[in-house]
Amino acid sequence: DAGVIQSPRHEVTEMGQEVTLRCKPISGHNSLFWYRQTMMRGLELLIYFNNNVPIDDSGMPEDRFSAKMPNASFSTLKIQPSEPRDSAVYFCASSLRSGFGYEQYFGPGTRLTVT
Amino acid sequence: TQLLEQSPQFLSIQEGENLTVYCNSSSVFSSLQWYRQEPGEGPVLLVTVVTGGEVKKLKRLTFQFGDARKDSSLHITAAQPGDTGLYLCAGANMYSGGGADGLTFGKGTHLIIQP
């Protein structure tokens, strides 16, 4: 399996621009998670989906952030408008809902820089 | 809000030495996971512990879940330069609907093993 695929790997944009991050989960997985990682705050859960339905978006920092999962094989995280404090590495992870394991498989991340 | 505190934040030791990393919380988790992350990549799952008091071994790595399921430790014997990386603990709780829940991550321990 190719694993979780994220694109782009790097994104540099100017403040005020719209940014869209993309994720393709592992085939057959039914849960998808978006995380953000910074040195100061570590790895934070932004939102997660079960069977394409958003379950908990309490980690989304502001209304400028939105996430969608139109089907089982694709999800987007959008920031509009972007701000310098949004600069971070954004990870997508997927898992197969089962038992207590919650083993999550992470993509390589998208490094976002907002200038 | 559930928090996981990891200690130490940074650790640099010589090859061949032993070390222990701690992950503590005031909250109870259904399971606890340990991940290892290398620069430019996403975290990779090492182990999941589910039962209070559980001990799991992965070659030179020994993981223990506290009896009360609030804390965990990772012990590395005879550390090797290849063990260098960011070690993250993450707590999981079962979603009331029986689905996978987002993970709560500690900020991690940056480990450097010098040859």
Side-chain angles (χ1 to χ4, degrees):
Chain A
D1 198 312
V4 175
I5 298 173
Q6 290 187 247
S7 64
R9 290 296 310 274
H10 302 273
E11 176 81 33
V12 180
T13 190
E14 292 183 348
M15 181 175 63
Q17 296 297 306
E18 175 182 304
V19 175
T20 299
L21 310 182
R22 297 172 176 80
C23 175
K24 176 178 170 54
I26 293 173
S27 177
H29 282 187
N30 52 14
S31 293
L32 184 140
F33 308 82
W34 283 101
Y35 292 90
R36 177 172 70 175
Q37 187 175 40
T38 62
M39 282 296 295
M40 288 295 293
R41 300 175 68 88
L43 200 59
E44 302 172 282
L45 176 66
L46 299 177
I47 185 172
Y48 73 94
F49 298 82
N50 280 344
N51 295 319
N52 312 339
V53 175
I55 301 300
D56 184 358
D57 65 354
S58 60
M60 297 284 261
E62 301 171 28
D63 291 344
R64 298 184 296 105
F65 286 69
S66 62
K68 293 182 180 180
M69 191 165 187
N71 57 61
S73 59
F74 184 66
S75 177
T76 59
L77 178 67
K78 183 180 293 186
I79 307 173
Q80 180 184 22
S82 58
E83 295 183 4
R85 59 189 167 131
D86 301 331
S87 297
V89 181
Y90 290 80
F91 287 101
C92 174
S94 70
S95 72
L96 179 62
R97 181 181 71 186
S98 63
F100 293 90
Y102 307 118
E103 298 183 15
Q104 297 189 10
Y105 296 83
F106 284 76
T110 294
R111 180 173 295 277
L112 173 64
T113 303
V114 183
T115 60
Chain B
T1 302
Q2 296 179 309
L3 294 174
L4 280 166
E5 300 286 340
Q6 285 190 243
S7 61
Q9 273 189 283
F10 299 92
L11 183 59
S12 179
I13 62 173
Q14 295 295 125
E15 180 177 0
E17 293 184 17
N18 302 332
L19 67 108
T20 302
V21 174
Y22 299 93
C23 175
N24 296 299
S25 175
S26 58
S27 302
V28 175
F29 291 98
S30 301
S31 65
L32 199 137
Q33 301 179 341
W34 284 92
Y35 289 79
R36 179 165 168 263
Q37 184 179 16
E38 297 195 33
E41 299 181 7
V44 176
L45 180 68
L46 296 174
V47 77
T48 300
V49 284
V50 178
T51 307
E54 182 176 3
V55 176
K56 281 192 175 179
K57 291 191 175 184
L58 188 65
K59 296 184 180 178
R60 294 175 293 100
L61 278 60
T62 302
F63 304 85
Q64 184 162 7
F65 202 11
D67 291 340
R69 290 188 290 133
K70 293 182 179 180
D71 54 82
S72 181
S73 64
L74 158 61
H75 182 79
I76 301 179
T77 303
Q80 304 292 313
D83 297 328
T84 293
L86 174 65
Y87 288 82
L88 297 157
C89 67
N93 279 308
M94 179 173 276
Y95 164 55
S96 60
D101 201 352
L103 295 171
T104 300
F105 277 87
K107 289 190 176 181
T109 294
H110 295 263
L111 176 63
I112 297 175
I113 310 300
Q114 302 184 25

